[in-house]
Amino acid sequence: MRHVARRIVQGLAAALVLTAAPSAQAQDYPSRDITFIVPFNPGGSSDPLSRAFAAQLEKALSRNVNVENKPGGSATIGTNLVVRANPDGYTIGLGDSAALMYQPLVNKDLAYKTTDDYEIITKLADVPGMLVVRPDAPWNTFEEFLADVKKSPGKIRVGVSGVRSISDMVVQQFNRAADVKITTVPFTGGGGEALLAVMGGRIEGAVGYGGNTIAQIEAGKLKVLGVFAKGKYEPVPNAMSIPDAGYNATIPSGYSVIAPKGLPNDVREKLVAASQEAVRSPEFKEFTKKNGFVLDLKSPHEVSAELGELRNEFVGLIEWLDKKSAAK
């Protein structure tokens, strides 16, 4: 009996140690630097957003948050690195809405398919696309531009940051809604290269985002005809809202923070709380306001639901594009 009692006591002690281990791990978290992976090149609009967030997360967690750029594969290379990382809270990253929701529909080799394959920590911000043209372009309003698109289907070219990028898909969303044909021209150098092509007169328009585009508009080097967002967009308050004009074309570039699946619960809770504290900080709010981002703080559950709706929109657009291609 004494042997049996000893075994029971030993078993209970071991169970208590195992139960306490995650709490001890979370209590110590973070005990070293955190890596924040950005799946884009330095210099784009998402890179400064990531660095502004990382700077505030450092304050919230009292640890260094080191930003690492891992571009390529339409943002899937860096996203895969986050998803496949050790789920200990020391590797997190920027989640781009197109990389998370569109790419799994067309790329079967990714380490993730849905939001079930990674942890969502928080939503950061959206940035809507702006339709811009040269200052000397023949259109002063979106209605004038659309009239010429209808007169000459496929002849008016709009630069986008890549094939089936967010900027490409929002133009396709508009083409479907308005039953027109704007030809999108993808640029491997991204949105900045598309803007240069407009200013150089090589294409008629482009979809631009954030601070870089706003700076060119304010400098008089570009003219904005419309914004792919409902309501007034503060950086260009006089620009027409394309959705408010009756065309359902609203896909923004959306950014969230993601982590590998399987974080200890206490670590996840601490990371979520610190990330939301960073987003609420006056410094981060000021950054987003100055750079054309629309602050959109959401809980992990709310972000998951929003991404699911976006996935459904992409599925519908892919089916529509496939039908258009087959009809040629």
Side-chain angles (χ1 to χ4, degrees), residues 39-40 74-75 79 94-101 166 253-256 258 307:
F40 298 100
S74 299
T79 306
L94 183 73
D96 168 74
S97 53
L100 293 177
M101 290 294 106
I166 284 287
S253 278
Y255 300 106
S256 54
I258 63 170
L307 288 173

Side-chain angles (χ1 to χ4, degrees), residues 199-310:
M199 291 187 280
R202 291 187 284 131
I203 53 177
E204 287 73 41
V207 177
Y209 294 88
N212 291 341
T213 305
I214 292 164
Q216 300 294 351
I217 293 167
E218 291 175 346
K221 295 180 179 179
L222 290 170
K223 176 167 58 177
V224 59
L225 297 181
V227 180
F228 293 103
K230 295 178 180 178
K232 183 170 70 172
Y233 181 42
E234 287 298 337
V236 285
N238 297 321
M240 192 191 85
S241 163
I242 293 170
D244 288 354
Y247 304 104
N248 179 29
T250 58
I251 300 175
S253 278
Y255 300 106
S256 54
V257 178
I258 63 170
K261 190 74 174 177
L263 293 177
N265 288 337
D266 289 349
V267 170
R268 183 195 306 106
E269 289 171 9
K270 191 168 186 179
L271 194 51
V272 168
S275 295
Q276 296 199 345
E277 180 184 334
V279 174
R280 289 191 187 98
S281 68
E283 295 89 345
F284 190 75
K285 288 180 178 178
E286 180 64 19
F287 171 85
T288 54
K289 183 178 179 181
K290 284 177 64 175
N291 289 275
F293 292 94
V294 179
L295 200 65
D296 191 26
L297 181 62
K298 282 185 168 69
S299 70
H301 178 74
E302 289 171 327
V303 180
S304 181
E306 181 180 72
L307 288 173
E309 292 173 5
L310 180 61

Side-chain angles (χ1 to χ4, degrees), residues 66 81 83 140 173 259 285 324:
N66 302 316
L81 287 173
V83 173
N140 291 311
Q173 193 183 33
K285 288 180 178 178
K324 296 282 284 186

Side-chain angles (χ1 to χ4, degrees), residues 37-51:
I37 293 176
V38 180
F40 298 100
N41 284 310
S45 61
S46 60
D47 185 58
L49 177 73
S50 300
R51 294 177 187 278

Side-chain angles (χ1 to χ4, degrees), residues 131-154:
L131 177 65
V132 294
V133 296
R134 281 170 56 95
D136 59 356
W139 316 288
N140 291 311
T141 66
F142 182 77
E143 290 87 351
E144 293 173 354
F145 173 84
L146 182 56
D148 275 358
V149 167
K150 290 178 177 178
K151 285 179 192 172
S152 306

Side-chain angles (χ1 to χ4, degrees), residues 23-36:
S23 297
Q25 179 184 359
Q27 218 169 18
D28 294 338
Y29 175 83
S31 59
R32 54 188 170 86
D33 292 356
I34 293 169
T35 297
F36 189 87

